Amino acid sequence: MNKYQYKVQGVDYEVEIEDVEGNIAKVNVNGIPFEVEMQRPINAAKHPSIVKPKVAAPVAPAATAAPAAPAAPQQKQPAAAASGNSVKAPLPGTITAVQVKVGDTVNIGDVVVILEAMKMQNNIEAEYAGTITAVNVVPGDSVMEGSVLLTIG
């Protein structure tokens, strides 16, 4: 079991890696268990993305009211996927800012959306370089993990 201490924007985090099987790691962050999926590294960000907290009961009641908002982007997903690469929400939360619009050109690592989750602002970065072909969210939208936020062509 490996233990690490991180400081992110002045906040201390104690991360304990319990087990790694394939590309899934079981970790505890400040005593809260998570399963994280490790992906291939990209230029700027070399960190795993949160896949699913083990304690899903508190999230479920909020999710029952939220599907109405992301339903429209999910219906657009097949058309958007055909015209580029999707940028998906790494965890459930609320969109606080969309930094791009259709037609903008982005590079790998550019911040495209800001997602608030667990009272923290998370910068969602472009994983691909290209032109924005679709933006499926607006500030104030609630999204679930895996929801398509935008498409880069």
Side-chain angles (χ1 to χ4, degrees), residues 22-46:
N23 67 335
I24 302 295
K26 294 180 181 180
V27 301
N28 285 320
V29 180
N30 290 347
I32 301 171
F34 291 93
E35 286 186 6
V36 296
E37 178 181 354
M38 297 179 287
Q39 299 177 347
R40 61 179 171 81
I42 57 176
N43 284 348
K46 294 185 181 182

Side-chain angles (χ1 to χ4, degrees), residues 73-98:
Q74 288 176 352
Q75 291 172 352
K76 295 178 189 175
Q77 182 176 354
S83 62
N85 298 307
S86 299
V87 175
K88 298 180 180 180
L91 66 165
T94 302
I95 303 299
T96 57
V98 178

Side-chain angles (χ1 to χ4, degrees), residues 58-69 144:
V59 176
T64 58
M144 297 304 297

Side-chain angles (χ1 to χ4, degrees), residues 6-139:
Y6 296 99
K7 183 173 273 197
V8 179
Q9 295 182 347
V11 179
D12 290 322
Y13 294 94
E14 184 174 307
V15 179
E16 182 177 338
I17 301 174
E18 292 180 359
D19 186 32
V20 177
E21 291 182 23
N23 67 335
I24 302 295
K26 294 180 181 180
V27 301
N28 285 320
V29 180
N30 290 347
I32 301 171
F34 291 93
E35 286 186 6
V36 296
E37 178 181 354
M38 297 179 287
Q39 299 177 347
R40 61 179 171 81
I42 57 176
N43 284 348
K46 294 185 181 182
H47 53 79
S49 60
I50 295 177
V51 175
K52 179 180 175 185
K54 287 184 182 178
V55 185
V59 176
T64 58
Q74 288 176 352
Q75 291 172 352
K76 295 178 189 175
Q77 182 176 354
S83 62
N85 298 307
S86 299
V87 175
K88 298 180 180 180
L91 66 165
T94 302
I95 303 299
T96 57
V98 178
Q99 306 287 56
V100 294
K101 61 186 181 305
V102 174
D104 286 356
T105 302
V106 295
N107 294 311
I108 294 173
D110 287 353
V111 176
V112 292
V113 174
I114 299 176
L115 173 74
E116 180 180 325
M118 298 179 286
K119 299 189 184 220
M120 291 184 63
Q121 300 292 319
N122 298 280
N123 292 336
I124 309 302
E125 299 175 348
E127 296 175 2
Y128 311 95
T131 303
I132 304 296
T133 58
V135 177
N136 300 337
V137 293
V138 296

